[in-house]
Amino acid sequence: MNLDQFREKLGYHSLVLGVIALAASASLALTDNSTHGAIKAAEKRDLQQSLAQVLPSGFADNDLLKDQVTVKDADGNAVVVYLPRLGATSKGAVFEVSGRGYAGEIKILMGVDPAGRIVGVRVLKHQETPGLGDKIEAAKARWIYDFDGKSLGQPAPEKWAVKKDGGQFDQFAGATITPRGVVKAVKGGLEFFAAHKDEIFAAPPAVAGKEP
Amino acid sequence: MSSQYRDIVEDGLWKNNVVFSQLLGMCPTMAVTTSGTNGLGMGLATTAVLLVANMLVSSVRNYVSVQVRIPVYIVLIAALVTVVDMTLNAYLHDLYKVLGMYIALIVANCSVLGRAEAFAARQPVLASGLDGLAMGLGFTGALTLIGLIRELLGGGTLFSQASLLLGQSFAFMEMTVIPHYGGFLLMILPPGGFLVLGLLLAGKRVLETRRSTAKPAMPTPTLAAHCGV
């Protein structure tokens, strides 16, 4: 039986499909194996960079990835709070909040000092309209820096809104829903911090070399 | 032989352009062309996959029987895209953060399967690679053009954030054409994509009809019937 005849058989089709599937899975397994460590390291570096962005340099000297505590928010969701420390002094808290934008969830990382003043806010992830809503990114506009130094009393609670709603934060031309969502989420974050302050600062400093 | 290669290149870039003639890959075309930079990034990533996928398919073409060719091509393309995705994530992480959302979309791009089936399954490896490259560059050109038009009309800029994609040395490409432009939201939202694509399609048709006034314009290639994603 020559090859041309064998090619018409059902067994040949299965064989070809099987061999290709095997080769594809093997190449995927190999790639996953060789890239796994590098991807994990890159994601860790990403988180470190975001954490570093909301905290000024020299603000804390501990490893934030190890010094963290999990707190339940008002809705019962677990929130991971990173605890920056300088020596033994607690310098505040860094945590993620999320708001609703024009096109879904906006993930925000914010840093707060022990007195409840904002140290820094950064948007981690969003799907807002490019060129309009994406001005909430620090890389694209200065808007997000407006939050620095603000707290629940400064400005007054009713001023925690975009200008269109009578507040003091700018909206963007053609996009109000996005900044409105961010302002609301950041205010919510401050309220979360105020309500759980004792719980957050009750956590003991991480012992070097021990995972939390 | 060289005239065959010239035909392949001309086909990919203009005559049989993925977007403007075959009307394939409409999903990424509409979804990511909100700016010139986005179009360029998606186009380049797709070009790389088209090039390698075509060469892979061509090199196994003599062993794959007609009956199982489609599943084989799909498995090859999906595996390839996943490998590209993981490799970029691991070793070019900054580029991956910009392109990340596009990479997985390439599997759903019909033009990759379309080229495998229409060209690479019948042609030698070198010609298939060239076809993938030419088709990819044609796709890149189309996406960048649509993106630039939408960006210009929608936000008054060109190639904004190009330095995030290509590196700081390309920051000169970022231009604000119309300062203090209020923005024309419709062009950036999905209807803008349809409007711009429709006008460009009509424009290409007019150009081609004028060029071949002697004989009537060729109908759109049959390949478009394969799928409409």
Side-chain angles (χ1 to χ4, degrees):
Chain A
M1 184 163 70
N2 61 24
L3 185 68
D4 280 343
Q5 279 175 320
F6 182 48
R7 287 178 70 121
E8 294 307 311
K9 295 255 188 273
L10 187 64
Y12 183 78
H13 308 325
S14 324
L15 187 69
V16 166
L17 212 51
V19 168
I20 296 278
L22 201 65
S25 346
S27 68
L28 286 184
L30 272 178
T31 316
D32 182 47
N33 209 14
S34 59
T35 56
H36 186 75
I39 292 176
K40 273 273 176 293
E43 280 171 355
K44 194 177 160 190
R45 214 165 41 239
D46 273 354
L47 181 61
Q48 265 165 347
Q49 271 169 9
S50 327
L51 289 171
Q53 272 190 349
V54 297
L55 300 176
S57 68
F59 188 81
D61 60 359
N62 60 333
D63 183 359
L64 287 173
L65 295 182
K66 289 198 177 126
D67 232 343
Q68 57 189 54
V69 59
T70 307
V71 176
K72 282 212 170 14
D73 68 6
D75 300 326
N77 300 317
V79 180
V80 176
V81 181
Y82 303 93
L83 301 166
R85 293 177 210 273
L86 195 59
T89 334
S90 192
K91 297 287 282 179
V94 180
F95 48 89
E96 248 184 63
V97 290
S98 78
R100 285 216 59 85
Y102 180 73
E105 192 184 28
I106 304 175
K107 287 193 153 187
I108 300 161
L109 189 72
M110 57 188 284
V112 181
D113 74 4
R117 273 190 304 270
I118 289 173
V119 183
V121 179
R122 290 294 178 280
V123 171
L124 296 180
K125 202 173 175 186
H126 72 90
Q127 296 113 39
E128 301 306 290
T129 317
L132 291 168
D134 64 354
K135 294 190 184 75
I136 53 176
E137 288 175 39
K140 295 179 184 173
R142 299 285 306 169
W143 183 80
I144 201 82
Y145 294 94
D146 279 357
F147 289 108
D148 294 0
K150 302 278 196 299
S151 64
L152 273 184
Q154 176 65 38
E158 66 271 16
K159 288 284 180 189
W160 270 94
V162 292
K163 283 179 177 157
K164 204 175 193 171
D165 301 337
Q168 77 157 51
F169 294 95
D170 284 327
Q171 60 261 1
F172 313 134
T176 311
I177 298 169
T178 309
R180 188 184 279 156
V182 175
V183 171
K184 195 173 163 220
V186 172
K187 189 187 178 199
L190 286 175
E191 284 162 354
F192 161 80
F193 177 76
H196 296 86
K197 212 171 159 180
D198 297 338
E199 215 177 318
I200 290 169
F201 290 128
V207 181
K210 196 181 144 215
E211 293 291 323
Chain B
M1 257 332 240
S2 72
S3 89
Q4 187 213 342
Y5 289 144
R6 206 177 53 232
D7 284 349
I8 292 176
V9 172
E10 201 185 343
D11 248 15
L13 294 183
W14 176 258
K15 271 206 314 217
N16 205 6
N17 186 289
V18 175
V19 174
F20 295 137
S21 293
Q22 300 179 48
L23 282 175
L24 286 181
M26 287 299 106
C27 163
T29 303
M30 291 304 168
V32 307
T33 57
T34 49
S35 77
T37 309
N38 279 0
L40 185 65
M42 180 66 179
L44 291 178
T46 309
T47 305
V49 171
L50 264 169
L51 172 68
V52 183
N54 260 11
M55 293 175 80
L56 268 180
V57 166
S58 173
S59 54
V60 299
R61 70 185 191 284
N62 290 328
Y63 310 103
V64 176
S65 42
V66 181
Q67 290 87 340
V68 293
R69 68 189 193 286
I70 300 287
V72 166
Y73 299 161
I74 292 275
V75 168
L76 282 177
I77 293 166
L80 179 66
V81 171
T82 314
V83 167
V84 169
D85 185 87
M86 288 194 281
T87 313
L88 275 182
N89 192 355
Y91 303 112
L92 291 166
H93 193 69
D94 287 327
L95 182 64
Y96 179 79
K97 277 193 277 182
V98 183
L99 282 183
M101 58 170 189
Y102 309 145
I103 308 280
L105 266 179
I106 298 174
V107 184
N109 189 332
C110 224
S111 65
V112 184
L113 182 65
R115 286 331 283 171
E117 167 74 356
F119 196 94
R122 300 181 178 84
Q123 301 283 341
V125 176
L126 190 62
S128 299
L130 183 66
D131 177 73
L133 187 67
M135 283 292 161
L137 291 178
F139 186 64
T140 308
L143 255 60
T144 312
L145 181 63
I146 299 174
L148 285 176
I149 296 176
R150 289 177 69 183
E151 187 184 351
L152 179 65
L153 297 176
T157 58
L158 286 177
F159 283 117
S160 64
Q161 277 116 44
S163 54
L164 286 183
L165 177 71
L166 302 165
Q168 276 307 320
S169 45
F170 285 88
F172 70 89
M173 282 167 70
E174 301 176 14
M175 279 175 279
T176 303
V177 182
I178 316 171
H180 313 299
Y181 183 54
F184 181 18
L185 189 56
L186 184 76
M187 294 317 284
I188 291 183
L189 296 178
F194 286 97
L195 284 172
V196 172
L197 178 67
L199 291 174
L200 287 175
L201 278 177
K204 184 170 189 266
R205 220 20 108 71
V206 169
L207 266 181
E208 276 169 351
T209 316
R210 276 203 194 140
R211 265 193 203 169
S212 55
T213 35
K215 50 183 179 179
M218 289 286 290
T220 350
T222 50
L223 221 146
H226 267 301
C227 91
V229 197

